[in-house]
């Protein structure tokens, strides 16, 4: 639904607005002394055209759920977005543009989600934005499938377009290949990417590092590809009519994503620095700014000059946005009236609220049976899936290994790509990312950013390295994304050191805002999933075992509810007054419990603390932390099948760590644990050593 049509109403005031964008980009970078003016100058006509004439948005309500989404994947050109937000009336002022890249300003060096109204995602690391946009497009389709699947194409209040601008750098980054291949395979007709083909990067002409046929590449992905060449005549002519026609055609293409290759000259029309690397990432200099303004017919001495008539004209987009919003409101109200049950579910999910009583669906695992925590996780997803329709996900070609498939649910895939194993359709629930971990992470972020659903995605823990930039951005943006990382230690066995994570747990714990959860048994896994889903302001990573581990007898040991506190006393010293504390995570908790038996038999009162999530533990009151780890008990041992690194803060100066300070090997997991000293005897020996140091 839209009131837009194919006619472009473009006046001399629009031309002046575009030139104003160029001048503001130069002035803002000149004032702060750093930044990226060139792309903002060359993309000025395209950005203004999109925001003022094409984009479905309401500047008076940046969070309007019916809006189109815009992603500036080339986040270094933040002024491309900031200036449009200013001109469109999103609340940014001229003073905000003057404060570019300065402390506390609403215009940081790269766009930051949740910080500046109108910024849909945090961009800067190149290629991430393209993948975010793919995720948003997937989320929009899934949301439509949940709430309005019967509506004809273009007739639903859930129909909208995801737009993205990208640069040569985005195209070069490998993540763009992964994400673009997925988008083409998924037939995401609600996605449009405009490539600023200016052929300049920091090292000047991109020919030094780039010679592939990008258009052919996107054709091979299955995208609808258009070429808009503003240099085709030999002269530089910014043909906005042609670009507008292509963008309108892209909105009409519902069966494929659209890729628009826009040939520009970076820094146009700066007389001496246009089309050079010098204008990509640094200020033009006062003389070049003045010379450029003369070409534009503007006062070379004036800075941040905006003609009130131009601003008034540009701000008419607010009226257009309100009209679009009113039309959408009418359609949305009709949908709500026709389907109140779906509307109630929509309201709940939009607020990121969980349904009443949902946790009662979580399974409880009886003691006496060994269950891999990855298998327990799969059972948990299957149990809560029916009551949490917003929860969906999959894995990077490891569904059966990660246990990320909700039983009975169809795949999210165009019908023609169904297989004998995986049946599905465009509105399915099970995601298949292929062997594309990096894109998976950023796509999950895009799904969460879009709103309306809650994603998870799985791979082996060792391959979290491939997706780390996206994980970091999920933490930076405080997104409720769940990363399911299985095969969490040398316990995966025969695959050997290439697949055995050693440094990964603490490397991930080093990311601020990421909860890394390594449950010890099936019931801890259930509480972990519940706690993760109860948080809607942060990402989490679940580190799960391949090998089976015992389900602890909770009549003998403490309740798994302690998982929600991050660390808890699983087994108390028989005397009630521990002399040594064993702190363990995941599959090594079993080893710590066995060591406790040995130490208790020797007359050493020993407490075992299960510490599935150090981040959750750190959030607890100091009194609780001191109760679990009494400062008076200095003899402590950490037990984890990975590097010790951060455990020193928990074990203290008298503590010991039973860890793995080297890579693994290929053998069955029991042999590996024995050969590398991850045994009850080794833990008991470490406890004795720590006791000696504590007494000294």
């Amino acid at each position: 639904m839209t009131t837009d049509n194919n006619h472009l109403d473009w006046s001399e005031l629009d031309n002046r607005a575009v030139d104003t964008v160029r001048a503001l980009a130069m002035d803002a970078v000149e004032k702060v002394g750093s930044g990226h003016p060139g792309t903002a100058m060359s993309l000025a006509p395209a950005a203004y055209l999109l925001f003022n004439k094409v984009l479905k948005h309401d500047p008076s309500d940046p969070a309007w759920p019916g809006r189109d989404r815009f992603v500036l994947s080339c986040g270094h050109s933040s002024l491309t977005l900031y200036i449009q937000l200013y001109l469109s009336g999103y609340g940014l002022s001229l003073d905000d543009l003057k404060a570019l890249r300065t402390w506390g300003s609403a215009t940081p060096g790269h766009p930051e989600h949740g910080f500046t109204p109108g910024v849909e995602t945090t961009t800067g690391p190149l290629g991430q934005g393209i993948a975010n946009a793919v995720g948003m497009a997937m989320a929009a389709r899934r949301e439509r499938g949940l709430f309005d699947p019967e509506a004809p194409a273009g007739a639903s209040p859930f129909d909208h377009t995801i737009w993205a601008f990208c640069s040569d750098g985005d195209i070069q980054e490998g993540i763009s290949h992964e994400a673009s291949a997925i988008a083409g395979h998924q037939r995401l007709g609600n996605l449009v990417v405009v490539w600023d083909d200016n052929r300049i990067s920091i090292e000047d002409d991109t020919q030094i590092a780039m010679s592939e046929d990008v258009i052919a590449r996107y054709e091979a992905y299955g995208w609808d590809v258009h070429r808009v060449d503003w240099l085709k005549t030999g002269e530089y002519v910014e043909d906005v009519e042609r670009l507008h026609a292509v963008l309108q055609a892209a909105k009409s293409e519902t069966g494929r994503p659209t890729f628009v290759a826009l040939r520009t000259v970076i820094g146009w029309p700066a007389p001496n620095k246009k089309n050079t690397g010098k204008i990509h990432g640094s200020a033009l200099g006062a003389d070049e700014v003045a010379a450029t303004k003369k070409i534009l017919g503007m006062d070379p001495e004036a800075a941040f000059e905006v003609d009130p008539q131009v601003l008034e004209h540009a701000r008419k987009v607010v009226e257009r946005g309100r009209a679009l919003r009113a039309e959408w409101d009418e359609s949305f109200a009709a949908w709500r009236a026709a389907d109140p049950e779906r509307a109630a579910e929509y309201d709940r999910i939009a607020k990121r609220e969980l349904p009443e009583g949902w946790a009662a669906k979580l399974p409880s695992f009886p003691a006496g049976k060994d269950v891999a925590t990855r298998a327990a996780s799969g059972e948990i997803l299957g149990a809560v899936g029916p009551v949490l329709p917003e929860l969906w996900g999959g894995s990077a070609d490891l569904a059966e290994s990660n246990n990320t498939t909700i039983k009975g649910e169809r795949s999210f895939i165009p019908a023609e790509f169904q297989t004998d194993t995986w049946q599905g359709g465009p509105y399915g629930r099970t995601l298949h990312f292929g062997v594309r971990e990096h894109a998976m992470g950023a796509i999950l972020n895009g799904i969460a950013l879009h709103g309306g659903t809650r994603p998870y995605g799985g791979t082996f823990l060792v391959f979290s390295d491939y997706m780390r930039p996206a994980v970091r951005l999920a933490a930076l943006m405080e997104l409720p994304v769940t990363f399911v990382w299985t095969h969490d230690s040398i316990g995966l066995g025969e695959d050997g050191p290439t697949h055995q994570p050693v440094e990964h747990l603490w490397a991930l714990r080093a990311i601020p805002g990421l909860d890394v959860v390594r449950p010890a048994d099936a019931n801890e896994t259930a509480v972990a999933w519940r706690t993760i889903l109860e948080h809607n302001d942060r990402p989490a990573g679940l580190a799960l075992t391949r090998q089976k581990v015992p389900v602890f007898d909770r009549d003998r040991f403490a309740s798994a509810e302690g998982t929600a506190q991050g660390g808890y006393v699983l087994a108390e010293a028989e005397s009630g007054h521990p002399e040594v504390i064993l702190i363990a995570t995941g599959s090594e908790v079993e080893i710590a419990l066995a060591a406790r038996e040995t130490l208790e038999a020797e007359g050493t009162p020993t407490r075992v603390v299960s510490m599935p999530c150090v981040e959750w533990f750190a959030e607890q009151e100091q009194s609780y932390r001191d109760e679990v780890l009494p400062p008076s008990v200095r003899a402590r041992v950490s037990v984890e099948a990975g590097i010790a690194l951060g455990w020193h803060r928990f074990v203290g100066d008298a503590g010991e760590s039973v860890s793995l300070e080297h890579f693994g090997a290929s053998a069955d997991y029991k042999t590996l644990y024995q050969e590398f000293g991850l045994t009850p005897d080794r833990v008991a020996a470490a406890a004795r050593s720590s006791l000696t140091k504590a007494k000294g």
Side-chain angles (χ1 to χ4, degrees), residues 452-483:
T453 58
R454 182 155 182 176
Y456 64 85
T459 187
F460 292 171
L461 178 58
V462 75
F463 299 132
S464 63
D465 282 344
Y466 280 159
M467 58 196 302
R468 186 182 179 90
V471 174
R472 182 178 187 271
L473 284 169
L476 181 62
M477 291 187 275
E478 301 178 344
L479 301 179
V481 175
T482 304
F483 304 103

Side-chain angles (χ1 to χ4, degrees), residues 236-314:
Y236 192 62
V237 179
E238 293 174 332
D239 188 352
V240 291
E241 290 274 0
R242 163 71 176 148
L243 180 58
H244 179 258
V246 167
L247 297 183
Q248 292 294 347
K251 289 177 66 174
S252 300
E253 172 57 67
T254 60
R256 295 175 292 172
T258 298
F259 184 78
V260 181
L262 176 63
R263 181 69 171 99
T264 67
V265 170
I266 193 170
W268 182 267
N272 302 303
K273 293 189 176 182
K274 67 176 181 289
N275 205 33
T276 69
K278 298 298 183 184
I279 206 167
H280 172 89
S282 59
L284 279 74
D287 291 343
E288 186 75 355
V289 170
T292 306
K293 287 183 178 178
K294 284 183 180 179
I295 293 171
L296 295 173
M298 304 177 77
D299 183 352
E301 302 300 323
F304 295 99
E305 184 177 39
V306 179
D307 186 327
Q309 189 179 12
V310 168
L311 184 60
E312 181 184 5
H313 178 73

Side-chain angles (χ1 to χ4, degrees), residues 51 55 69 102 122 125 130 134 138 151 254 262 265 322 353 441 491 564 573 577 592 639 660:
F51 270 78
L55 196 69
R69 271 64 164 177
T102 61
T122 298
I130 292 178
V134 172
M138 292 168 68
T254 60
L262 176 63
V265 170
R322 286 175 179 160
E353 293 180 351
H577 301 286
V639 191
L660 199 66

Side-chain angles (χ1 to χ4, degrees), residues 354-418:
L354 296 166
E356 186 176 350
W358 77 275
K361 299 293 184 181
L362 288 164
S364 178
F365 298 86
K369 182 181 178 182
D370 290 352
V371 179
T373 54
R374 63 167 175 163
S377 176
E379 288 191 42
I380 292 159
L381 286 172
V384 302
V387 295
L388 296 177
E390 65 268 37
L391 185 65
W392 65 313
S395 78
D397 198 51
L398 291 168
E400 293 182 3
S401 294
N402 296 148
N403 295 90
T404 50
T405 303
I406 298 176
K407 291 180 181 179
E409 295 289 347
R410 292 166 63 80
S411 293
F412 180 89
I413 192 72
E416 65 264 35
F417 293 133
Q418 297 178 88

